[in-house]
DNA sequence: TGACTATATGTCTTATCTGACATATAGTTC
DNA sequence: GAACTATATGTCAGATAAGACATATAGTCA
């Protein structure tokens, strides 16, 4: 397993605080978390691309601003189903999701910071 | 929206029984269901590839045979998180998942019926 | 500084998902 | 047809995620 991911995961609020807990994370757990983080980033990018605030997106999703914030923050309480269906409602295609999951952030134009 | 998917979805137990309900399914709903069905097929393929029974896979996943059956059947009670983490535990990579989601069933060798 | 907008965090209640169990339905082999 | 193995289906208690609300923390502009 690749090391030095701990801080990144901790930053997103995942329970990987202690070294022991970190070592307890299986490869599968790690990959799953990374996939969700990739989808989170993708959601934020897409929201900004359409110039929506979190509140506006929440309305579209029939959800709340706090949940949108958690989605984008990669909060552990957010499921992959929610991330994916939100992305789909923002017009993402299966191919877009596949790209995100694969770890290939699509660099769309000058915005791609 | 592409038509003539109803029977396929009904077969998997999704609540798309009436025409009205079917029309009520948004494009996003449909795509999400299709993605999950693709992951289901992928899970079954992978299990068989390793020559495991549903019971044996359930043990690996710390789950039950019935849940494995539901995962493979594309049952609506199965989340994408569960499908994905199961696939990861069976050795799938992000790229494998991306391929499945994109709708590209990997034809691995002669088995690929 | 105060007002305003956007985003983040904490915590509730309710809804949905999970694993487990029982049971049903093939498919084999004897 | 009985016995056996594999898979499917129905149900339920307990676990997890959902939306909602309050509140906190930027950031901007007057």
């Amino acid at each position: 397993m690749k090391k030095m991911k701990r801080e990144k995961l901790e930053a997103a609020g995942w329970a990987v605080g202690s070294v022991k807990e970190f070592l307890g994370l299986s490869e599968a757990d790690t990959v799953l978390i990374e996939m969700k983080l990739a989808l989170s980033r993708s959601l934020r990018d897409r929201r900004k691309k359409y110039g929506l605030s979190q509140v506006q997106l929440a309305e579209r999703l029939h959800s709340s601003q706090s949940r949108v914030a958690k989605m984008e923050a990669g909060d552990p309480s957010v499921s992959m189903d929610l991330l994916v269906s939100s992305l789909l409602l923002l017009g993402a295609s299966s191919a877009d999701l596949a790209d995100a999951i694969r770890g290939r952030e699509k660099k769309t134009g000058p915005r791609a910071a």
Side-chain angles (χ1 to χ4, degrees), chain A:
Chain A
M1 188 194 299
K2 284 181 205 148
K3 288 169 188 171
M4 299 318 302
K5 298 268 183 182
R6 192 180 61 192
E7 290 173 49
K8 195 169 134 196
L9 297 176
E10 281 173 350
W14 295 89
V16 289
S18 76
V19 174
K20 180 164 139 282
E21 282 166 351
F22 178 62
L23 292 176
L25 267 192
S26 70
E27 173 71 10
D29 290 333
T30 307
V31 174
L32 181 61
I33 288 173
E34 282 170 356
M35 280 181 46
K36 285 166 93 168
L37 289 175
L39 293 172
S40 295
R41 288 190 290 272
S42 193
L43 181 66
R44 168 160 299 186
D45 289 349
R46 204 162 264 272
R47 174 175 66 79
K48 297 211 159 162
K49 177 173 149 192
Y50 289 113
L52 299 171
S53 69
Q54 290 185 344
V55 169
Q56 290 173 316
L57 176 53
E59 283 164 3
R60 278 211 198 193
L61 300 177
H62 304 290
S63 181
S64 58
Q65 178 268 327
S66 66
R67 192 125 291 268
V68 172
K70 280 164 207 199
M71 284 191 240
E72 293 186 355
D75 190 284
S77 83
V78 173
S79 75
M80 204 162 156
D81 296 71
L82 186 63
L83 287 168
V84 167
S85 53
S86 300
L87 279 163
L88 291 175
L89 278 178
L90 273 181
S93 66
S94 308
D96 291 331
L97 296 177
D99 286 344
I101 283 175
R102 194 186 287 270
R104 208 182 273 159
E105 299 294 323
K106 195 180 297 175
K107 304 210 189 302
T108 53
R111 184 185 310 91

